[in-house]
Amino acid sequence: MRLAIGSDHAGYELKEAIKGYLDEQGLAYQDFGTYSADSCDYPDFGLAVAEAVARGDFPLGILVCGTGIGMSIVANKVPGVRAALCSDTFSAHSSREHNHANILVLGARVVGTGLALDIVRTWLAASPLGGRHARRVEKITAVEKKYGRE
Ligand code: RB5
């Protein structure tokens, strides 16, 4: 499995730490930037990762900004994306199991590196559950359709 990963300047250091973790685990990824801690605009990188996941080029993605909020807002505007901002491991595995989240969002100014890496590990280890959860996710897709954004 290959992951799409991206951040703004505020998330740059944590993105690099996540890449280190993925390397250790032998997990492949494509880094969509940013590539330094120089100030930049989070929507540019959030959109690139969200579109790559929505196109099906990558099954999952990870985005990091200062709070995670900006990246979440941007990513969730792309049809087909279910981006989950997580600051704890319970939300992380629930977002995969119940919400079929396909992008994990982290706030580098909110969670420390150790917790963030635990969240990444937990999120990647969880799988979508079917049944009532799948039905609810279908209803999310129906909302996108209703507004012509499928
Ligand atoms: C950058 O200063 C900051 O606004 C950004 O990383 C993010 O927190 C936005 O939601």
Side-chain angles (χ1 to χ4, degrees):
M1 179 183 58
R2 244 168 114 240
L3 295 163
I5 184 165
S7 76
D8 70 353
H9 55 287
Y12 172 71
E13 265 188 43
L14 180 54
K15 172 171 68 67
E16 296 305 299
I18 293 169
K19 284 164 59 183
Y21 171 76
L22 297 175
D23 288 337
E24 277 170 24
Q25 299 301 310
L27 293 169
Y29 56 83
Q30 183 174 326
D31 184 354
F32 284 78
T34 187
Y35 303 114
S36 79
D38 294 346
S39 183
C40 62
D41 299 333
Y42 61 83
D44 299 337
F45 304 95
L47 180 63
V49 167
E51 287 185 332
V53 170
R55 275 196 306 269
D57 295 350
F58 299 84
L60 298 175
I62 299 177
L63 285 168
V64 191
C65 65
T67 58
I69 294 171
M71 286 296 198
S72 302
I73 293 171
V74 170
N76 279 313
K77 293 211 177 291
V78 176
V81 165
R82 291 176 299 279
L85 171 57
C86 297
S87 302
D88 65 275
T89 55
F90 180 81
S91 299
H93 68 75
S94 296
S95 77
R96 285 288 290 141
E97 292 168 354
H98 291 212
N99 315 115
H100 302 188
N102 50 14
I103 295 187
L104 170 66
V105 188
L106 294 161
R109 293 173 177 162
V110 180
V111 293
T113 305
L115 175 57
L117 297 183
D118 261 3
I119 291 169
V120 169
R121 182 178 49 74
T122 303
W123 192 74
L124 291 175
S127 301
L129 298 176
R132 66 186 185 280
H133 303 297
R135 182 181 72 240
R136 292 162 187 165
V137 171
E138 281 165 18
K139 289 189 176 189
I140 295 174
T141 305
V143 174
E144 286 180 349
K145 275 189 198 160
K146 181 177 178 187
Y147 290 94
R149 297 175 56 219
E150 192 198 16

